[in-house]
Amino acid sequence: MSIMNFDRIMIRYGEMALKGKNRRAFEQKLQSNIAIKLRKYPNTTIKKTQGRMFVLLNGEKPHEVMKECQEVFGIHSLSFAVMVEKEEEQMKEAVMLAFHDARNARTFKISSKRTDKTFPIPSQELNPLLGGHILRQTEDVKVDVHNPDVEIKVEVRHEGCYVTAQDYPGAGGLPVGTTGKSLLMLSGGIDSPVAGYLTMKRGVEIEAIHFHSPPYTSERAKQKVIDLAQALSKFGSRVKIHVIPFTAIQQKIHREMPEGYSMTIMRRMMMRISEQVAARNELLSITTGESLGQVASQTMESMNTINEVTNYPIIRPLVSMDKIEIIDISRKIGTYDISIRPFEDCCTVFVPKAPKTKPTRKNANYYESNSDFTRDIEKALEESYIVEVSPDRQSGQQDDEFDDLL
Amino acid sequence: MIYLDNSATTHPHYEVLESFQKVADQYFANPSSVHRFGSEAERLLDRSRKQAAQLLSVDPQEVIFTSGGTEGNNMAIKGIALQHQNRGKHLVTTLIEHPSVMEAFKALETLGFEVTYINVDQNGKVNPEDIQQALRDDTILVSVMSVNNELGTIQPVQKIGELLKAYPKVFFHVDHVQGLGKIELSVKEWGIDLCTLSGHKIHGLKGTGALLMQKHVRVFPLLHGGSQEAEVRAGTENLPGTVAFVKALRLLHEDHKQKVNHLRRMRTILWEGLMLRDYCKINSPEDGAPHIINFSIPGYKPEVIIHALGEEGIFISTKSACSSKQPDVSAVLKACNLDYERTTSALRVSLSTTNEKDEIDLFLKKLDQTVENLQATMG
C-alpha cells in the first residue's frame, strides 16, 4: 500500500477577486506568474475554476511547490488538498492526512459538503463519521466547531471527493505586472530592496538603476546589487539593472561643489539620470528606499530639494516605517544577508564631514549653475549598460563560462 | 578492466576532471582576496553553492562544502554533540553505520557522552520504533545512514524523520554518502537536519563533498580559523574540488530516472545470475539500493577470490574499503545475525551506471572459473 499524499494545492485570491472587469486579466497574469515560478517543477499544471486556482502536483514534492507558491503576489491563502474516491476508507485516510498537515493542532472541525447527491451519506452524517476517525487515531485531540485550530473541508463532488487541509498564508498583494512599471533606485543597503519588494507587492514590475563608481566602489559592491536584484526577481520573473558609471560625476561634484552640498547635489544628479532612464524605458515612476529621519541627510528639506529635479511620481514605500520593521521584511525576503555584506556603495564613498541637513532648492540651484553637468549626464547614460537577472540566472559573459564549468 | 567496486569509489567523469583542471588553472585566486580576481573566484564559489542547493532542494546557505563523507559525518556528529551538550548527552545511532560515524560516536563516549546503538533485522534494516523507544529526555542526536555501504539496505529514513518531528530537541543526521543519486531523499520534507554527501562516490573527486545543514542547526566547528563556509569550516576553499563536485552532481541529475533504471536492470541480471549458483548465498535484501549486492561464498576466503578476479582485471571488494584492514568478520553482517561462515566470506559487487550487461556476464563466468580453480585447494 502506498502512503497517501496531497495531489494538489488550492489557491485563493482575496483582493483580486473584487477587481470586476479586470479580473480576467488579473487571473491570467497570476496564472502565468505561478507557471514561471514553478518552471523548476515541470510536472505541475495549473487549473482555473470558479474564483480559485489549483496547482496539480503530478508527483512533485508538495512542500517545495507550496513554498514557491507562497512567494507569488496576488495570492491570499493556500491549502494542500487531495482528491480521493468517494469511498469511506479513502476519505478517512484523506482527513487524517489533512489533519496531520497542521502540526500541533489540538482541536479541529470537519466541514462537509455534498454536491453529488447520489453519494449515500449526507453531510451531517459525514462530519461525525470522519471526525470520529480522527479522534480514534489521535490522543488529546478534540472537536471544536467554533474556534478550531484547523478546519478540514470535505467536498463530495461528481468526479470524486476533495479534502482540503489547513490554510497557509499567501504573499498577498496583486500579481506582478498588473499595475505598471517603476524604476527602483537600488543601492547595496537594506532599505532599497525592501522598497522594491513592497512596490512589487502592489503588482508593479520593476527595473533597477544602480550607480557604480569604480575604483571607489568594487566589483563586489556591484555584485551585491546584482544579487539583491536577483533576490527580488523571485517575486516577479526577471529584473533589468541599469548600471550607470558614476565616477566622473562624483569626482566633478567633489571638485566643484561646496562640500556641505555635495550629497544633496549628488542625489539630484542621480534623480535626473533616473528620470531619463525611466523615460527611455517607458517606466512611469521612480521607487526609492527613502525614509524620514533615519540618517542626518533624510530630512524633509533634503527630500524637497532633491525632488525638485523631477516631476515623475516617486514611490517611497518605506517613508512611514521604522528601521526595525524594514529589517524584519528584509530578513523575510532574503535580502538582509546580502545587504549586510561589507562593501562600500557609491553613497558612502565621498561622504562629506558635515552634510547640510537643511539644504534649500535655492542654494542647490545656485551652486549647480556654476558648473554644467549636461554633458556628464549624457555621457553616463551613453556608457550605461544593462545586467538582467532572473531567479536562476545572471547575464554577462562570465556566467556562460561558469555554466560550462558547472 | 571491469570495475565493480563503485561503493568504494568511482571513476571521475571526464567533464568533472576538465572543470577541475580549468578552475585550478584559471581561477586559482583565493575567494577571500579583495581584488577582482579573488572576487571572480568568490562568485564562482557562490554559483556552485546555488547550483548545488537547487539540485538538492535546499537553500544555498544550507550547503557547507567539505572534504568528503568522513569529514561531513564527523562535523555533524561531533559538531552537534559538542554544541548542544548542555541540553543532554545522549546520542542514538545504529550498529551498521560507516566507520566514520561509528568511530565518531565511540570517541564521544570517551568524552562522557552516552550512545545507544540500535540493532537491525536480518536484512540490516533498523526499525523506526526501536529508535523511538531509545529516545530519552536528554537525547540530542539520532544518526542513521540512508543506504548501508556493505549490504545496500535502504533504511526507513523518511519514517524516522517523520517520527522525530515530534521531538524538536533531537537533531536528525543522515549519512547519505551511499544513497546519493541512488535513492530519493528530501532533506526538507523528511525533517533531516544534517545530511552528509560525498563527491567521489558519484564520479566526482576525492576530497570533495558537502554537509547539508538546515538553517536552524548550529554545530561546534571541527576546524576553527577564517570565516569561510559560514564560519562552520575554516580553511581556504577548495574551489576546483567544489566546482568538480557540483558538476558531478549536475551530471548525476541528468537523465536521472533512466540511469537508476539502468542500474536496477544491471542489478537484476547480477542477482538472478548469483541466485542460480549454488555456491553463492546472497546477503543483500532484494529491495536494497540499486547498486550493491553483497553475497557470501561459504568456505572461501574472500581476499583470495578478490585477488584471483583481480588477475583477470575484474575488481570487486569484501566489505567497506574503510573497514577492510580490520579483522575478518564483517560487523555489519554480524549485526544482521548471519552465521560465522557467512560473515567471514562476504563479497561486495557495487555497480555504476557505466557498467553494462556484458561486464556482468563476464564477471559471473570468471567467478565460476575462480571458484572451480580454488575448489581443489580450499573447497
Side-chain angles (χ1 to χ4, degrees), chain A residues 159-176:
Chain A
E159 65 273 23
C161 170
Y162 294 88
V163 174
T164 308
Q166 66 169 332
D167 288 4
Y168 286 75
L174 298 167
V176 171

Side-chain angles (χ1 to χ4, degrees), chain A residues 11-27 30 51-52 72-77 170-176 178-179 198-204:
Chain A
I11 290 173
R12 305 176 197 87
Y13 24 94
E15 191 172 342
M16 236 178 72
L18 306 170
K19 290 283 170 184
K21 281 182 190 156
N22 288 330
R23 180 162 154 175
R24 254 181 94 87
F26 275 63
E27 281 181 333
L30 178 61
R52 54 194 197 192
V72 179
F73 288 127
I75 296 176
H76 174 68
S77 68
L174 298 167
V176 171
T178 55
T179 56
L198 292 172
T199 310
M200 291 169 91
K201 184 175 177 183
R202 294 309 299 169
V204 178

Side-chain angles (χ1 to χ4, degrees), chain B residues 88-275:
Chain B
K89 296 185 96 172
H90 180 237
L91 317 164
V92 177
T93 188
T94 78
L95 276 174
I96 51 137
E97 297 298 314
H98 186 265
S100 61
V101 168
M102 205 53 121
E103 296 303 320
F105 278 110
K106 295 248 169 76
L108 286 168
E109 283 181 312
T110 68
L111 295 180
F113 286 87
E114 200 183 324
V115 184
T116 303
Y117 299 93
I118 305 292
N119 214 334
V120 293
D121 68 13
Q122 221 178 353
N123 288 324
K125 203 173 248 181
V126 64
N127 183 347
E129 280 169 23
D130 291 345
I131 301 263
Q132 192 165 19
Q133 271 169 21
L135 297 175
R136 314 192 312 214
D137 277 349
D138 60 342
T139 308
I140 55 173
L141 174 68
V142 170
S143 177
V144 179
M145 69 198 332
S146 63
V147 170
N148 179 264
N149 50 314
E150 287 190 39
L151 285 169
T153 308
I154 300 172
Q155 300 297 359
V157 164
Q158 182 176 13
K159 280 209 180 113
I160 298 169
E162 295 293 341
L163 77 85
L164 287 177
K165 283 179 183 170
Y167 301 84
K169 219 172 82 173
V170 180
F171 291 100
F172 183 31
H173 167 244
V174 173
D175 170 4
H176 192 41
V177 169
Q178 285 296 341
L180 180 59
K182 311 298 192 307
I183 61 159
E184 286 295 312
L185 177 138
S186 170
V187 169
K188 295 273 168 186
E189 304 205 348
W190 298 5
I192 298 170
D193 298 301
L194 307 108
C195 180
T196 305
L197 308 175
S198 166
H200 76 105
K201 309 283 193 197
I202 56 162
H203 302 279
L205 298 174
K206 281 85 182 160
T208 67
L211 179 67
L212 308 181
M213 208 165 88
Q214 287 216 47
K215 272 184 229 104
H216 63 273
V217 181
R218 295 284 169 273
V219 294
F220 188 85
L222 297 183
L223 304 176
H224 289 92
S227 58
Q228 293 92 349
E229 300 297 316
E231 301 188 18
V232 175
R233 184 195 194 263
T236 300
E237 297 90 342
N238 173 8
L239 186 58
T242 297
V243 170
F245 170 55
V246 177
K247 177 102 177 188
L249 266 182
R250 205 202 74 204
L251 295 172
L252 184 70
H253 279 75
E254 271 176 13
D255 308 320
H256 182 242
K257 280 206 175 107
Q258 284 96 304
K259 284 181 189 160
V260 173
N261 286 338
H262 175 79
L263 266 183
R264 273 188 212 293
R265 272 199 304 278
M266 293 303 110
R267 187 180 187 260
T268 307
I269 293 169
L270 179 60
W271 183 280
E272 285 167 358
L274 292 171
M275 285 292 275

Side-chain angles (χ1 to χ4, degrees), chain A residues 220 399 401 403-405, chain B residues 19 27 33-34 42 47 247:
Chain A
R220 279 185 172 90
D399 267 62
E401 208 180 310
D403 279 347
D404 288 343
L405 289 170
Chain B
S19 281
Y27 294 93
S33 288
V34 169
E42 186 188 36
R47 272 287 305 274
K247 177 102 177 188

